[in-house]
Amino acid sequence: MEHSQFPSLTKFEIRHEVPSSAEAGQLFRALSHCKACQTLQEMTITFDNHQDNDDQDPGNFLTLIPHFLCFTQLKILQLHFDGSHIYLDNDILLQAMSTWPHIRILEIQDSGLIPSHVTFRGLFTALRLCPHLRVLRVPINTATIDIDSNAEPMPHTSLQRLELATTESEIENAEAIARIIFISLPRVTEVSPSTIGGVWDVVTFHLISLRAAARISGAASND
């Protein structure tokens, strides 16, 4: 693949049994060196883990996002890696978002067993660079809220679906997180819609309450 010529390739999709770290690195290096950096718009990579491993084993440790920075025309990037940990922090996320100004769907899902290095400040700083983003799914560290919940940042009006993964069993300061999302992401109505009793349900509850109160206030002011 590394020496292949794909001058008009716009979509790449692969599904494979979870590889070793070395095999995964070889795949990503080859992909980043193929001749499609200026044409590729959609990329979906899925690693399936069918082995009966320890539930607490995060699997391979992968630093792969830098391999995708050459694809400056990306609109969709979906990475679903069972049995692997994708390293992501504020700096890498900011660099990626600044490289992908056209991105509309970004999903980064891994084993979810290692705490994320992405914070709320890092997330919302990076969001400003992607005005067309509609769907975002990334891991986040909820242990510390490093952004002022009462600040009034420039809202991101395109994002409609937000899924945040955390290793925490309970979200502390759920009301403050809901307020941040309410102010910053006016089109997001819930966080991580998944199973009943999910860890983000309390955040969604507060978010729904804030939206309802805003509607009532708006209707009263128009009377």
Side-chain angles (χ1 to χ4, degrees):
M1 180 184 293
E2 182 173 350
H3 302 290
S4 300
Q5 302 287 333
F6 301 108
S8 60
L9 184 68
T10 60
K11 183 175 181 179
F12 176 83
E13 182 173 354
I14 185 172
R15 186 166 198 146
H16 195 274
E17 188 78 15
V18 59
S20 67
S21 296
E23 292 170 336
Q26 185 178 13
L27 169 64
F28 301 138
R29 284 191 298 273
L31 186 60
S32 65
H33 285 88
C34 74
K35 307 301 182 180
C37 285
Q38 300 304 315
T39 61
L40 197 65
Q41 298 182 15
E42 301 181 23
M43 185 185 305
T44 301
I45 302 177
T46 303
F47 289 162
D48 295 317
N49 183 22
H50 300 299
Q51 298 182 5
D52 187 18
N53 293 336
D54 183 352
D55 290 340
Q56 299 304 312
D57 181 6
N60 298 331
F61 190 93
L62 306 175
T63 304
L64 57 89
I65 300 300
H67 291 295
F68 301 143
L69 297 181
C70 68
F71 301 106
T72 58
Q73 302 302 311
L74 273 181
K75 294 181 179 179
I76 298 175
L77 178 61
Q78 297 170 302
L79 305 175
H80 301 154
F81 289 7
D82 291 336
S84 298
H85 170 68
I86 300 174
Y87 182 78
L88 187 66
D89 60 24
N90 289 342
D91 292 336
I92 293 176
L93 184 62
L94 183 65
Q95 185 180 14
M97 293 295 209
S98 64
T99 305
W100 306 326
H102 310 291
I103 197 78
R104 285 162 170 75
I105 298 175
L106 177 60
E107 298 181 356
I108 301 176
Q109 175 196 358
D110 61 9
S111 61
L113 296 176
I114 296 179
S116 175
H117 293 277
V118 175
T119 67
F120 283 98
R121 180 180 295 277
L123 177 66
F124 284 98
T125 299
L127 272 176
R128 298 172 192 159
L129 303 177
C130 295
H132 307 293
L133 190 65
R134 298 196 305 264
V135 176
L136 178 63
R137 181 179 189 179
V138 292
I140 193 166
N141 190 322
T142 59
T144 302
I145 300 178
D146 56 351
I147 188 172
D148 185 359
S149 61
N150 294 314
E152 296 189 7
M154 182 69 67
H156 190 291
T157 57
S158 295
L159 194 70
Q160 302 174 39
R161 182 176 177 183
L162 179 65
E163 296 191 27
L164 301 175
T166 178
T167 57
E168 301 293 326
S169 59
E170 182 178 347
I171 302 293
E172 297 185 8
N173 301 311
E175 188 171 0
I177 294 174
R179 182 170 295 278
I180 293 169
I181 296 171
F182 170 73
I183 295 172
S184 304
L185 307 173
R187 300 187 68 182
V188 171
T189 58
E190 58 183 348
V191 183
S192 295
S194 54
T195 59
I196 296 176
V199 69
W200 287 95
D201 285 359
V202 64
V203 176
T204 294
F205 171 79
H206 287 297
L207 183 58
I208 291 173
S209 298
L210 288 168
R211 299 248 183 260
R215 286 194 296 271
I216 293 173
S217 177
S221 63
N222 291 329
D223 291 341

